[in-house]
Amino acid sequence: MSTLEQDLAHLNFEYLMLARECARNNLMEAAWRFGVDRKQIEEIAEFSVENIRELASIARTVVTVIPMDTPKNISLATHAALLTLPKVTGRETQ
C-alpha cells in the first residue's frame, strides 16, 4: 500500500470512528456535523471497529469537503453552518 493509500485509510478510520461515537451520543448532531442523513448515521452508529477498518481501507476518502466559495457578506464559518442540512426526522437522540 502506498503512503497516500495509508494516509487515506488512517484519515478515513479516524473520521468514521469520530462519526460513530458522535452518532451514538447524539443522532441529530452527528447527522448535521457529518452531513449525512438519518439512515446513514444510524448505520454508522452500529458499525464495529472491523467494519470501520474495512470501509476505511477502500483507498477513497470518506471525508466530505465543504465548498470554500462563500458570499461576500457572510463568513466562511456561517456559510458552512447554513449549508443544506440533512433530513433527520424521528428520533433526535439515542
Side-chain angles (χ1 to χ4, degrees):
M1 188 183 292
S2 73
T3 302
L4 175 60
E5 289 170 340
Q6 289 172 337
D7 289 346
L8 281 174
H10 179 73
L11 179 63
N12 285 343
F13 181 79
E14 294 296 327
Y15 183 81
L16 289 167
M17 288 294 289
L18 186 60
R20 182 185 77 162
E21 293 310 307
C22 188
R24 288 179 175 180
N25 291 320
N26 186 322
L27 201 60
M28 285 287 290
E29 179 181 359
W32 179 78
R33 286 189 183 272
F34 293 92
V36 296
D37 64 30
R38 176 183 170 192
K39 183 179 178 193
Q40 290 171 318
I41 204 65
E42 285 177 343
E43 289 176 7
I44 291 170
E46 299 300 320
F47 282 173
S48 68
V49 174
E50 293 79 25
N51 295 135
I52 290 174
R53 198 174 311 280
E54 181 181 350
L55 185 57
S57 68
I58 62 171
R60 261 185 85 178
T61 185
V62 296
V63 177
T64 303
V65 179
I66 60 172
M68 301 303 278
D69 185 29
T70 62
K72 293 181 182 187
N73 57 342
I74 63 172
S75 71
L76 176 59
T78 302
H79 178 68
L82 294 173
L83 290 173
T84 304
L85 300 176
K87 292 181 183 178
V88 180
T89 57
R91 294 185 323 193
E92 301 211 355
T93 60
Q94 283 189 320

